[in-house]
Amino acid sequence: MLLILRSLILAVMLLLAFVFGGLCCLLRPRHRDNVHMFAKIFSYAAPVLGIKVIVRKPSLGLKDEPCIYLANHQNNFDMFTHTAAVPKGTVSLGKKSLAWVPFFGQIYWLSGNILIDRKNRNKAFETMAQTARKIKDKCLSIWIFPEGTRSKGKGLLPFKSGAFHTAIEAGVSMVPVLASCQGHIKMNRWDNGVVIIEMMEPIETKGLAKNQVKELSKRIHALMSARLTQLNREASALMAK
């Protein structure tokens, strides 16, 4: 019964979000704050799903300048948890095939997100080069899932190199964003506990060369993996209380 009720409420919320958000996107197509608007609306669904989301930002705050956010990608619940942390002036990078999803794909593009053809290496690199120019010219931040696919509870998967090439090319910092484990979330469970979303301290890329991409990727992966383990323990302890 709870599963059906939640599904119906979620469906109505998403429909209203797409209708309202779609109208806003038509009035201000590809505006730099459209994605933040959608993210805020989607994050309101977390309490409906029985999820308490705790958002943490760097102790010194984030600088008022563009950056690349590196977020871990677990499952479909990311769109209701990670979204609570998406700042203004941020767009996401998604696979090109999303454009063919009826209604959602068109709004995804119209809201200002960037589509990349991962199957075509040359086009993918050109898209990332264009992304680097957008970061500089439009003062945009980019939200990227560097794993490239859902981890489905398997921890932090290996990173793709595109985000790191782009950050070095644009000369912007990288901000790791971690969501604690979401594998316990069930639509038919009343209380789905706590998910901690933590933005780690920015990591500078200025002065780095392209041949340092692998080293940078490996270093950030190690930092995020270690911190994710800690967040999972903390979230589990909070749920056990």
Side-chain angles (χ1 to χ4, degrees):
M1 185 64 180
L2 181 59
L3 173 62
I4 296 173
L5 181 61
R6 270 190 176 144
S7 297
L8 287 173
I9 294 174
L10 196 59
V12 171
M13 289 182 71
L14 291 178
L15 178 61
L16 291 174
F18 283 128
V19 171
F20 171 75
L23 290 173
C24 286
C25 288
L26 287 173
L27 293 173
R28 55 176 200 181
R30 302 188 67 75
H31 189 278
R32 65 194 314 274
D33 290 335
N34 282 347
V35 175
H36 169 76
M37 174 192 66
F38 270 111
K40 200 72 175 174
I41 295 172
F42 277 37
S43 69
Y44 293 151
V48 175
L49 296 171
I51 307 169
K52 180 181 179 181
V53 178
I54 299 173
V55 179
R56 296 174 181 167
K57 296 184 179 180
S59 56
L60 297 178
L62 293 171
K63 296 180 181 178
D64 188 19
E65 57 185 35
C67 64
I68 289 182
Y69 295 99
L70 298 172
N72 62 324
H73 193 13
Q74 298 180 59
N75 49 38
N76 290 336
F77 292 112
D78 287 335
M79 65 189 298
F80 308 119
T81 56
H82 266 299
T83 45
V86 177
K88 289 184 177 181
T90 302
V91 299
S92 70
L93 189 73
K95 54 187 179 181
K96 191 177 181 180
S97 58
L98 287 175
W100 300 105
V101 178
F103 197 49
F104 172 82
Q106 293 72 56
I107 290 181
Y108 184 83
W109 177 82
L110 197 60
S111 61
N113 292 300
I114 300 169
L115 296 170
I116 183 171
D117 186 355
R118 293 197 179 108
K119 295 181 180 179
N120 188 315
R121 186 178 178 84
N122 291 331
K123 287 185 177 180
F125 271 109
E126 176 57 28
T127 298
M128 297 310 287
Q130 291 174 2
T131 300
R133 290 194 289 272
K134 285 184 178 181
I135 292 173
K136 294 177 181 178
D137 299 341
K138 299 184 178 182
C139 199
L140 275 178
S141 292
I142 312 296
W143 189 283
I144 297 178
F145 294 109
E147 296 161 284
T149 188
R150 300 177 184 88
S151 62
K152 297 179 180 179
K154 298 177 182 178
L156 202 62
L157 301 180
F159 288 164
K160 306 292 184 182
S161 64
F164 302 91
H165 278 289
T166 302
I168 291 175
E169 177 70 23
V172 296
S173 59
M174 308 190 86
V175 179
V177 185
L178 288 166
S180 60
C181 182
Q182 299 175 164
H184 63 281
I185 300 174
K186 306 292 182 185
M187 289 286 285
N188 60 353
R189 178 183 293 161
W190 180 258
D191 184 0
N192 277 306
V194 175
V195 173
I196 302 171
I197 309 293
E198 181 169 295
M199 288 185 167
M200 299 174 67
E201 297 293 335
I203 298 169
E204 293 293 337
T205 66
K206 290 179 181 178
L208 296 182
K210 291 182 179 180
N211 60 6
Q212 294 177 283
V213 162
K214 286 186 178 180
E215 177 188 342
L216 178 64
S217 174
K218 186 176 180 180
R219 176 161 59 92
I220 294 179
H221 188 282
L223 286 171
M224 290 179 67
S225 184
R227 186 56 185 152
L228 180 59
T229 299
Q230 295 171 347
L231 287 180
N232 288 341
R233 289 174 182 166
E234 185 179 351
S236 295
L238 288 172
M239 288 189 286
K241 289 182 179 180

